[in-house]
Amino acid sequence: MCVAGIYAYIYASHDERERTLNRKTIVEVKNLCKSYDKLEAVKSISFDVYEGEIFGLLGPNGAGKTTTLEILETLRPKSSGSVWIDGISLDENPNAIKRRIGVQLQESGYYPNLTLVEVCRLLAGLYQSDADPLALLKRVDLVDKAHVRVDKLSGGQKQRFSIATTLIHKPRVVFLDEPTVGLDPQARRNAWELIRTIRAEGATVVMTTHYLDEAELLCDRVGIIDEGKIIALDAPHTLIDHLLAGGFRREKPVREATLEDVFLHFTGKELREDA
């Protein structure tokens, strides 16, 4: 085990270690490295993701989290180390892994002149899936946009559609890279419910986010990456408890509600679409 992995294990609580002993690992990363010439973007990191959980990779810009995610998604080659997804080695059978994962595409990943139904049918054909495009769009409240071109969607609609397309072939693991960036509070809360639904229906979710309140509410466990190393890994509440036990106190006490809660109280939680 690498030094960062040892630190992460020590940082994990006894209860958390006991809980994870009997859980099935669906993503296994061992001593993963990625270098660009002399730059080490990922420095021998190791972690597991358990079946049926929402796992968050957190870190500042340039920490290595997106590079790590792209390696797991088979979109970027690794320099060394091992990755297994659903028991399949990335080195031995990357194509089999691709059939078991769903990857959230950004807007540039689509043909902008195609309608939402046409994109769904195209992706279903690539995956040899019998997914019903309208049923898929209904899940993300986009049935009324079924025959609208992708480039005509609002920002929130594009984000919801990008999440929906990860589900076309019923993947075992869904990767989401900052799935709520740029969304208004209503759309953000709606995306949270969609992510919880994806997990409830049997998929494992691995996500990155810069919104730490989002990670705290959604993720069963998080790994914090900085300078290419995992420096902490545990359940959000356990990491918070460790910090408090070390004497940390906020200068201003946290209230039981946030300004976002106030905003939603007055404006409602229903999705709003751009005019």
Side-chain angles (χ1 to χ4, degrees):
M1 181 181 293
C2 65
V3 173
I6 293 172
Y7 287 157
Y9 184 79
I10 292 173
Y11 207 97
S13 68
H14 173 75
D15 290 343
E16 182 66 20
R17 291 197 294 271
E18 288 294 316
R19 283 196 299 272
T20 59
L21 284 176
N22 297 319
R23 298 186 67 178
K24 179 182 177 182
T25 298
I26 194 166
V27 177
E28 186 176 358
V29 178
K30 297 296 182 185
N31 302 318
L32 182 65
C33 296
K34 179 61 180 178
S35 299
Y36 302 95
D37 296 325
K38 295 182 179 181
L39 173 65
E40 289 184 281
V42 178
K43 303 174 182 177
S44 192
I45 65 172
S46 300
F47 64 92
D48 294 335
V49 177
Y50 300 109
E51 188 174 41
E53 75 174 341
I54 300 175
F55 183 87
L57 278 175
L58 312 179
N61 290 331
K65 62 184 185 300
T66 298
T67 298
T68 299
L69 203 68
E70 289 177 347
I71 292 171
L72 301 185
E73 294 168 342
T74 77
L75 299 176
R76 188 181 297 274
K78 59 184 175 60
S79 298
S80 63
S82 302
V83 173
W84 289 269
I85 295 181
D86 200 17
I88 300 169
S89 168
L90 178 62
D91 292 324
E92 296 176 4
N93 202 342
N95 288 330
I97 287 178
K98 290 175 182 177
R99 291 191 290 270
R100 286 166 168 77
I101 65 174
V103 178
Q104 175 197 8
L105 296 176
Q106 301 302 321
E107 182 185 354
S108 59
Y110 301 117
Y111 293 99
N113 293 328
L114 295 183
T115 66
L116 273 59
V117 164
E118 290 170 336
V119 171
C120 289
R121 287 174 179 161
L122 174 63
L123 294 175
L126 293 174
Y127 283 114
Q128 298 180 327
S129 167
D130 60 356
D132 178 356
L134 292 180
L136 196 67
L137 295 174
K138 184 178 180 180
R139 296 184 63 181
V140 292
D141 297 314
L142 287 175
V143 171
D144 60 330
K145 302 294 182 181
H147 301 289
V148 173
R149 286 174 21 177
V150 174
D151 62 351
K152 300 300 181 182
L153 297 180
S154 69
Q157 291 166 348
K158 289 173 181 174
Q159 285 289 77
R160 300 205 312 271
F161 182 59
S162 72
I163 295 175
T165 58
T166 69
L167 308 177
I168 284 175
H169 57 301
K170 299 178 181 179
R172 298 269 291 139
V173 183
V174 174
F175 292 99
L176 303 176
D177 192 7
E178 299 189 36
T180 65
V181 64
L183 300 187
D184 65 33
Q186 283 88 357
R188 188 169 175 240
R189 296 290 179 101
N190 181 266
W192 291 357
E193 290 309 309
L194 176 58
I195 293 168
R196 290 187 179 109
T197 299
I198 292 171
R199 189 264 296 278
E201 293 177 351
T204 300
V205 178
V206 179
M207 61 181 287
T208 67
T209 180
H210 280 297
Y211 302 128
L212 300 187
D213 61 329
E214 178 170 280
E216 184 177 346
L217 288 169
L218 284 180
C219 296
D220 299 291
R221 293 185 306 136
V222 297
I224 301 177
I225 301 180
D226 195 22
E227 296 183 348
K229 298 179 181 179
I230 289 185
I231 56 176
L233 195 160
D234 213 321
H237 66 86
T238 303
L239 293 172
I240 293 169
D241 288 345
H242 273 293
L243 183 65
L244 293 174
F248 176 85
R249 293 294 181 273
R250 282 178 177 263
E251 293 182 6
K252 182 178 181 180
V254 179
R255 298 186 179 185
E256 294 184 2
T258 66
L259 184 58
E260 182 174 287
D261 294 319
V262 173
F263 180 88
L264 291 170
H265 173 75
F266 283 107
T267 64
K269 296 183 179 179
E270 296 77 16
L271 280 171
R272 306 288 182 88
E273 307 294 3
D274 292 346

